[in-house]
Amino acid sequence: MKKILLAGNPNVGKSVMFNRLSGARATVSNYPGTTVDFTKSWMRIAGEEFEIIDLPGAFSLEPKDKAEEVARDMLEKEKADVVVSVIDATTIERGLYLTLEMIEKGYPVMVALNMSDVARDKKVKIDTKRLEEILGVPVVETVATTGSGLKELVSRIGEAKSVDVGAIKRRARGVRRKNVARKSLSVDERWELIDRISKQVVFRGKYKHTLKDVISDLSVRPATGIPLAIAVLFGFWAFFGAFAGFFTDGFAVPAFDEHFLPWIQGAWPAEGSIHYAIFVGDPEAACCFEAFGVLTSGLFVAFGVVLPAIAAFYLILTILEDTGYLPRLAVLVDAVFHKIGLHGFAIVPTILSLGCNVPAVTATRVLETRKQRFMMMALLAVFIPCGAQIGIMQELIPAYAGLILIYLFFGYFVTGAVIDKLTPGRSPEILIDVPPYRSPTMKNVRTKTWSRVAQFIKIAVPFVLGGIVVVNLLYWVGVMDWLEDVTAPVFLTWFGVPSVTVGALVMAFMRKDMAVGMLGGMSAAGLLTTGQLITSVVLVSIYFPCLATFIMILKEGGIRDLLKSLVVLVASFFIFGGLMHAIVTLAGV
Amino acid sequence: MKYKLGSVYFAILGAITLVFGAWEFGATLGAPVTTEIGWLEIPAGTWEEVWRGVVIFLAGALIVVGAFKLRDIHGLGKAVLGSIMLWIVAGCDIFGRILDSIASNEATWINSLDEFLATYGPPYNPALWLLPFSLVIIYFIHARRE
């Protein structure tokens, strides 16, 4: 089967084009680095089946981060029949750099000048015919978001070919005489050639700043951008709380606690048996948080609490991504993140992590150095609670959930600064394109939110249900009682919490949201005071990452990074757990 | 002329917004202020209200700064940014009211018609009172475009 590769700089619309061409549903957002791995699909052109591959964005074939490395390796490995070089029509120079590199490598290239509508708005005119003459490969103007130009692109795919870069140089100079064929150019020669080409094909008209440009500019200036960021994050939090609370308190709590729980407690046979304990849990429990059975707490937490919380989170995150606000936030927080050896783009995996740690660990690929990736993975795993956990915290301790988050962010920055000092390696400057603000499309918001929620359910629900089975079995065979006895001195003296908390910590290794739910049950049963509940929630948060995140860190960072992350985790657990105990004691909570 | 009037209008609106913002976070932080006057209610009590108050205060500050140079695109931009911040807070309040009007949090699931309508009645918080007045900025955005 023939292969088409879509290559280009980050955030030029490759994934939108990929979705349009193949009918697939690759994740697209309005910021660079959304695609950190390749995506494959298939399409039919003139009766022939083609495999189409969407590559991560790259500025050059000399990779500076893991995502660029994936793009280069795929280009080398896949032996594509056609490489479509997708170029941002508003700034073709940078796209031409990668295009020339691909031409030098001998790949059969064609060029898609994408976002040509934005270029027109910005009074940038490109002489496509002349560009095609110089490059010697097909050049097509496209607007991937509307599908304009894609028909022509597909119809000309057969014209893509390998060309000699020496010939491009001659044509750009207007020289007819034949030189010896050139295989490659130096960096300076390449930029010189790009300069020569753009002088002949790009014409910039007089562009007047619009209100949109001014708002965009104000969003990255600290004096105006920080107030906006405070407002946007407030909106995020308020929407999250209202939406999740509406479904959980309005419908799930009455449905589960008043109807389902009493029914199943009576209907399930053989109270006191092992299967009753595993599937229903406590026969006297008054609410699902307290019962701790697979069919009671498990279903209630997974679908009644976590699902609305995660849907709310991803809905608002998708809107923020598609408007293009995230890269502005990255620029704004750059100075703060530099203090801990990261840069502004670290905000992207951090915010993604507030949804689910698993995709966030993958998103660390956009960071350039191994040091930054290790730091980010360790900090995410230890200090950033996922949306599911935040949802349950909001449900159980609404008055303290925000304060716990602030405390965890404090831990994130303090620990980040310490790891930065202790870990050798580089921390390069931020290199980020701030895309224009765009209106999110209903279709993309719907598809992306749904696919993320579905992915989350696929990852989370088996761990929630499986975790309850494991913990109940451990209680049944007496392992948990033994653990409680062993850990009691440390838990009581250092953390100020009773040793029953150990059950939640074991659960936390499977799912942290369910572990917080379990703590809620203990609190409802009178086993924990409010202060102990707060400390326990903090302990669960900074304890081992859940199993899925654990596996992902192992995959992305290898065993060495995983072990180093565990050292960070153990130290943070004792330091920040003990500190929280001191705070709640002094505050008299 | 319209820009002069606009400047005065937004300077007053910004100043009122600023005062309401300070009032909200002041009330939560324990300042001895009233939290309900007729149909006006100042939300106070939780840390989220401090956050809300800060947002409204900063929105007011941006509107005031922008009002002085409303004719200039950068001044208008600041006033628009302040208004957007106000709309975020008011939008969240309206969204919360809509959801509250639907679910009863009880075994009856859905509110009765009376309960549904009562949710939309007064008192209203400052962001909701300020919302219609801030919409005037849309006229200036259109005027600029033309």
Side-chain angles (χ1 to χ4, degrees), chain A residues 380-403:
Chain A
L380 295 183
V382 181
F383 291 103
I384 308 291
C386 68
Q389 191 187 333
I390 299 170
I392 300 204
M393 278 157 58
Q394 268 285 68
E395 182 65 21
L396 288 174
I397 33 172
Y400 300 102
L403 296 174

mmCIF file of all heavy atoms in Angstrom, chain A residues 380-403:
data_model
loop_
_atom_site.group_PDB
_atom_site.id
_atom_site.type_symbol
_atom_site.label_atom_id
_atom_site.label_comp_id
_atom_site.label_asym_id
_atom_site.label_seq_id
_atom_site.Cartn_x
_atom_site.Cartn_y
_atom_site.Cartn_z
ATOM 1 N N LEU A 380 4.416 16.019 37.984
ATOM 2 C CA LEU A 380 3.024 15.696 37.647
ATOM 3 C C LEU A 380 2.532 14.534 38.498
ATOM 4 O O LEU A 380 1.427 14.570 39.043
ATOM 5 C CB LEU A 380 2.906 15.272 36.175
ATOM 6 C CG LEU A 380 3.211 16.276 35.087
ATOM 7 C CD1 LEU A 380 2.964 15.659 33.721
ATOM 8 C CD2 LEU A 380 2.348 17.509 35.253
ATOM 9 N N ALA A 381 3.385 13.507 38.571
ATOM 10 C CA ALA A 381 2.967 12.286 39.269
ATOM 11 C C ALA A 381 2.738 12.550 40.752
ATOM 12 O O ALA A 381 1.835 11.978 41.357
ATOM 13 C CB ALA A 381 4.022 11.208 39.083
ATOM 14 N N VAL A 382 3.541 13.439 41.329
ATOM 15 C CA VAL A 382 3.448 13.638 42.780
ATOM 16 C C VAL A 382 2.430 14.724 43.147
ATOM 17 O O VAL A 382 1.617 14.532 44.052
ATOM 18 C CB VAL A 382 4.838 13.987 43.366
ATOM 19 C CG1 VAL A 382 4.756 14.176 44.878
ATOM 20 C CG2 VAL A 382 5.849 12.899 43.043
ATOM 21 N N PHE A 383 2.463 15.838 42.443
ATOM 22 C CA PHE A 383 1.718 17.003 42.960
ATOM 23 C C PHE A 383 0.436 17.382 42.223
ATOM 24 O O PHE A 383 -0.297 18.225 42.697
ATOM 25 C CB PHE A 383 2.638 18.225 43.013
ATOM 26 C CG PHE A 383 3.694 18.098 44.058
ATOM 27 C CD1 PHE A 383 4.999 17.790 43.730
ATOM 28 C CD2 PHE A 383 3.367 18.244 45.393
ATOM 29 C CE1 PHE A 383 5.966 17.648 44.694
ATOM 30 C CE2 PHE A 383 4.331 18.103 46.369
ATOM 31 C CZ PHE A 383 5.635 17.799 46.029
ATOM 32 N N ILE A 384 0.217 16.833 41.036
ATOM 33 C CA ILE A 384 -0.987 17.285 40.321
ATOM 34 C C ILE A 384 -2.093 16.235 40.421
ATOM 35 O O ILE A 384 -1.995 15.165 39.835
ATOM 36 C CB ILE A 384 -0.675 17.593 38.828
ATOM 37 C CG1 ILE A 384 0.518 18.544 38.716
ATOM 38 C CG2 ILE A 384 -1.898 18.150 38.124
ATOM 39 C CD1 ILE A 384 0.261 19.949 39.208
ATOM 40 N N PRO A 385 -3.159 16.549 41.143
ATOM 41 C CA PRO A 385 -4.262 15.601 41.221
ATOM 42 C C PRO A 385 -5.062 15.615 39.916
ATOM 43 O O PRO A 385 -5.184 16.669 39.284
ATOM 44 C CB PRO A 385 -5.115 16.145 42.376
ATOM 45 C CG PRO A 385 -4.776 17.584 42.471
ATOM 46 C CD PRO A 385 -3.416 17.778 41.907
ATOM 47 N N CYS A 386 -5.567 14.466 39.513
ATOM 48 C CA CYS A 386 -6.328 14.435 38.257
ATOM 49 C C CYS A 386 -7.743 14.977 38.481
ATOM 50 O O CYS A 386 -8.178 15.152 39.625
ATOM 51 C CB CYS A 386 -6.362 13.020 37.696
ATOM 52 S SG CYS A 386 -7.312 11.881 38.689
ATOM 53 N N GLY A 387 -8.431 15.247 37.382
ATOM 54 C CA GLY A 387 -9.780 15.832 37.448
ATOM 55 C C GLY A 387 -10.729 14.983 38.270
ATOM 56 O O GLY A 387 -11.584 15.508 38.984
ATOM 57 N N ALA A 388 -10.566 13.668 38.172
ATOM 58 C CA ALA A 388 -11.442 12.760 38.903
ATOM 59 C C ALA A 388 -11.272 12.965 40.405
ATOM 60 O O ALA A 388 -12.240 13.050 41.164
ATOM 61 C CB ALA A 388 -11.098 11.331 38.522
ATOM 62 N N GLN A 389 -9.996 13.086 40.800
ATOM 63 C CA GLN A 389 -9.711 13.274 42.224
ATOM 64 C C GLN A 389 -10.224 14.636 42.698
ATOM 65 O O GLN A 389 -10.793 14.744 43.785
ATOM 66 C CB GLN A 389 -8.209 13.162 42.444
ATOM 67 C CG GLN A 389 -7.821 13.086 43.901
ATOM 68 C CD GLN A 389 -6.326 13.153 44.092
ATOM 69 O OE1 GLN A 389 -5.555 12.766 43.208
ATOM 70 N NE2 GLN A 389 -5.900 13.662 45.213
ATOM 71 N N ILE A 390 -10.024 15.656 41.870
ATOM 72 C CA ILE A 390 -10.502 16.994 42.257
ATOM 73 C C ILE A 390 -12.023 16.975 42.395
ATOM 74 O O ILE A 390 -12.586 17.570 43.306
ATOM 75 C CB ILE A 390 -10.061 18.055 41.228
ATOM 76 C CG1 ILE A 390 -8.533 18.118 41.152
ATOM 77 C CG2 ILE A 390 -10.605 19.431 41.594
ATOM 78 C CD1 ILE A 390 -8.011 18.965 40.007
ATOM 79 N N GLY A 391 -12.677 16.255 41.469
ATOM 80 C CA GLY A 391 -14.140 16.148 41.526
ATOM 81 C C GLY A 391 -14.588 15.566 42.852
ATOM 82 O O GLY A 391 -15.532 16.061 43.477
ATOM 83 N N ILE A 392 -13.911 14.533 43.300
ATOM 84 C CA ILE A 392 -14.307 13.900 44.571
ATOM 85 C C ILE A 392 -13.959 14.807 45.749
ATOM 86 O O ILE A 392 -14.721 14.909 46.710
ATOM 87 C CB ILE A 392 -13.641 12.514 44.716
ATOM 88 C CG1 ILE A 392 -14.106 11.661 43.555
ATOM 89 C CG2 ILE A 392 -13.963 11.887 46.053
ATOM 90 C CD1 ILE A 392 -14.064 10.210 43.751
ATOM 91 N N MET A 393 -12.809 15.511 45.634
ATOM 92 C CA MET A 393 -12.455 16.444 46.711
ATOM 93 C C MET A 393 -13.522 17.531 46.832
ATOM 94 O O MET A 393 -13.916 17.921 47.933
ATOM 95 C CB MET A 393 -11.091 17.079 46.420
ATOM 96 C CG MET A 393 -9.919 16.191 46.815
ATOM 97 S SD MET A 393 -8.388 16.563 45.933
ATOM 98 C CE MET A 393 -8.085 18.251 46.312
ATOM 99 N N GLN A 394 -13.986 18.018 45.687
ATOM 100 C CA GLN A 394 -15.027 19.055 45.674
ATOM 101 C C GLN A 394 -16.308 18.532 46.325
ATOM 102 O O GLN A 394 -17.034 19.264 46.966
ATOM 103 C CB GLN A 394 -15.355 19.464 44.228
ATOM 104 C CG GLN A 394 -14.564 20.625 43.700
ATOM 105 C CD GLN A 394 -15.058 21.945 44.275
ATOM 106 O OE1 GLN A 394 -14.911 22.205 45.463
ATOM 107 N NE2 GLN A 394 -15.608 22.805 43.437
ATOM 108 N N GLU A 395 -16.574 17.266 46.117
ATOM 109 C CA GLU A 395 -17.793 16.659 46.635
ATOM 110 C C GLU A 395 -17.696 16.453 48.151
ATOM 111 O O GLU A 395 -18.646 16.709 48.877
ATOM 112 C CB GLU A 395 -17.996 15.314 45.907
ATOM 113 C CG GLU A 395 -19.246 14.546 46.266
ATOM 114 C CD GLU A 395 -20.525 15.256 45.877
ATOM 115 O OE1 GLU A 395 -20.483 16.130 44.988
ATOM 116 O OE2 GLU A 395 -21.564 14.955 46.502
ATOM 117 N N LEU A 396 -16.502 16.022 48.604
ATOM 118 C CA LEU A 396 -16.343 15.672 50.012
ATOM 119 C C LEU A 396 -16.003 16.854 50.913
ATOM 120 O O LEU A 396 -16.554 17.006 51.988
ATOM 121 C CB LEU A 396 -15.229 14.627 50.161
ATOM 122 C CG LEU A 396 -15.546 13.216 49.684
ATOM 123 C CD1 LEU A 396 -14.301 12.370 49.761
ATOM 124 C CD2 LEU A 396 -16.646 12.624 50.538
ATOM 125 N N ILE A 397 -15.029 17.649 50.453
ATOM 126 C CA ILE A 397 -14.581 18.770 51.292
ATOM 127 C C ILE A 397 -14.532 20.049 50.444
ATOM 128 O O ILE A 397 -13.458 20.586 50.180
ATOM 129 C CB ILE A 397 -13.179 18.480 51.911
ATOM 130 C CG1 ILE A 397 -12.318 17.630 50.959
ATOM 131 C CG2 ILE A 397 -13.259 17.887 53.271
ATOM 132 C CD1 ILE A 397 -10.892 17.467 51.402
ATOM 133 N N PRO A 398 -15.708 20.535 50.000
ATOM 134 C CA PRO A 398 -15.722 21.689 49.095
ATOM 135 C C PRO A 398 -15.021 22.925 49.664
ATOM 136 O O PRO A 398 -14.390 23.671 48.932
ATOM 137 C CB PRO A 398 -17.214 21.947 48.854
ATOM 138 C CG PRO A 398 -17.934 21.185 49.898
ATOM 139 C CD PRO A 398 -17.045 20.069 50.323
ATOM 140 N N ALA A 399 -15.094 23.100 50.975
ATOM 141 C CA ALA A 399 -14.495 24.299 51.568
ATOM 142 C C ALA A 399 -12.971 24.240 51.550
ATOM 143 O O ALA A 399 -12.304 25.267 51.643
ATOM 144 C CB ALA A 399 -14.996 24.472 52.993
ATOM 145 N N TYR A 400 -12.417 23.041 51.443
ATOM 146 C CA TYR A 400 -10.955 22.903 51.531
ATOM 147 C C TYR A 400 -10.293 22.471 50.224
ATOM 148 O O TYR A 400 -9.074 22.478 50.125
ATOM 149 C CB TYR A 400 -10.585 21.908 52.637
ATOM 150 C CG TYR A 400 -11.076 22.333 54.007
ATOM 151 C CD1 TYR A 400 -12.207 21.770 54.573
ATOM 152 C CD2 TYR A 400 -10.403 23.327 54.715
ATOM 153 C CE1 TYR A 400 -12.667 22.175 55.813
ATOM 154 C CE2 TYR A 400 -10.848 23.734 55.953
ATOM 155 C CZ TYR A 400 -11.982 23.159 56.508
ATOM 156 O OH TYR A 400 -12.421 23.572 57.729
ATOM 157 N N ALA A 401 -11.096 22.054 49.233
ATOM 158 C CA ALA A 401 -10.519 21.504 47.996
ATOM 159 C C ALA A 401 -9.555 22.498 47.336
ATOM 160 O O ALA A 401 -8.440 22.145 46.943
ATOM 161 C CB ALA A 401 -11.624 21.119 47.031
ATOM 162 N N GLY A 402 -9.982 23.756 47.244
ATOM 163 C CA GLY A 402 -9.147 24.770 46.608
ATOM 164 C C GLY A 402 -7.864 25.015 47.387
ATOM 165 O O GLY A 402 -6.795 25.163 46.801
ATOM 166 N N LEU A 403 -7.984 25.036 48.722
ATOM 167 C CA LEU A 403 -6.799 25.271 49.551
ATOM 168 C C LEU A 403 -5.811 24.111 49.420
ATOM 169 O O LEU A 403 -4.597 24.324 49.392
ATOM 170 C CB LEU A 403 -7.209 25.477 51.017
ATOM 171 C CG LEU A 403 -8.068 26.724 51.258
ATOM 172 C CD1 LEU A 403 -8.549 26.777 52.701
ATOM 173 C CD2 LEU A 403 -7.285 27.999 50.929
#
